[in-house]
Amino acid sequence: MSKERTLSIIKPDAVERNLVENIKSIFIKNNLIIQDSKKIHITKDEASEFYKVHQSKPFYNELCSYLSSGPIVVMILEGENAIKSNRKLMGATNPKEAEENTIRKLYGISIDKNSVHGSDSLENAKKEIEFFFKN
Ligand code: UDP
Ligand code: MG
């Protein structure tokens, strides 16, 4: 076990439906401390930079338009195995395939409007935290 930090994003579909506090309470109940949190509205260029790893995918353009379509909440979560723990709480990318009681099962609308993002590795968590919380 080791203490880690990971980046979580509450995507526009969930912010729009007033789900921020519900989602934050899931993290808190599961021992992930919200170290920092801010509501922002990013540009499509910023979204394209953030999701650059997906630039060759057929859904890249729509994904970047979507993430910049409305306000999002970006958070630093900290806890034991925070990266894996957050991914487990999120559930599968496609809400239809997500396990019961995961955030995406509870709140996700579709594979693109799936309510949350979470870093997938230690290396990406570092990069993604830096991306939103540099100052
Ligand atoms: N996505 C999509 N269509 C797909 C696969 C992914 O719109 O067929 C979107 C979805 O919002 C997902 C994001 O692209 O959350 C990043 O994809 P990834 O495979 O990294 O999924 P995640 O790590 O978010 O579970
Ligand atoms: Mg991913």
Side-chain angles (χ1 to χ4, degrees):
M1 300 281 271
S2 70
K3 208 175 217 187
E4 293 171 349
R5 296 198 320 156
T6 191
L7 184 90
S8 168
I9 303 178
I10 304 180
K11 295 184 180 182
D13 68 272
V15 174
E16 186 177 88
R17 286 176 293 146
N18 259 317
L19 294 168
V20 173
E21 296 311 316
N22 298 34
I23 293 172
K24 283 186 172 179
S25 79
I26 293 175
F27 295 138
I28 294 161
K29 266 183 241 160
N30 287 279
N31 301 315
L32 289 173
I33 291 160
I34 301 168
Q35 270 203 336
D36 210 342
S37 171
K38 60 184 178 188
K39 190 179 190 177
I40 55 176
H41 190 159
I42 61 172
T43 63
K44 187 167 178 188
D45 280 354
E46 288 169 324
S48 306
E49 179 63 27
F50 177 74
Y51 269 134
K52 213 161 66 182
V53 287
H54 292 302
Q55 61 189 340
S56 63
K57 311 271 172 66
F59 56 83
Y60 179 62
N61 185 50
E62 283 202 53
L63 176 61
C64 300
S65 295
Y66 172 61
L67 197 70
S68 56
S69 68
I72 59 175
V73 174
V74 294
M75 289 165 287
I76 300 173
L77 304 180
E78 189 187 66
E80 296 293 335
N81 297 309
I83 295 160
K84 246 194 163 161
S85 170
N86 178 41
R87 296 285 306 186
K88 190 155 174 55
L89 294 172
M90 288 164 58
T93 306
N94 186 346
K96 285 190 192 127
E97 289 160 15
E99 278 180 50
E100 290 303 319
N101 291 315
T102 59
I103 296 167
R104 284 168 165 171
K105 178 72 175 190
L106 289 169
Y107 303 128
I109 296 169
S110 56
I111 192 161
D112 47 325
K113 294 182 174 165
N114 60 4
S115 302
V116 280
H117 166 85
S119 311
D120 62 4
S121 66
L122 202 54
E123 193 193 347
N124 287 334
K126 285 208 179 89
K127 279 190 205 158
E128 292 179 1
I129 288 170
E130 178 82 358
F131 185 86
F132 285 111
F133 294 94
K134 30 189 180 273
N135 50 151

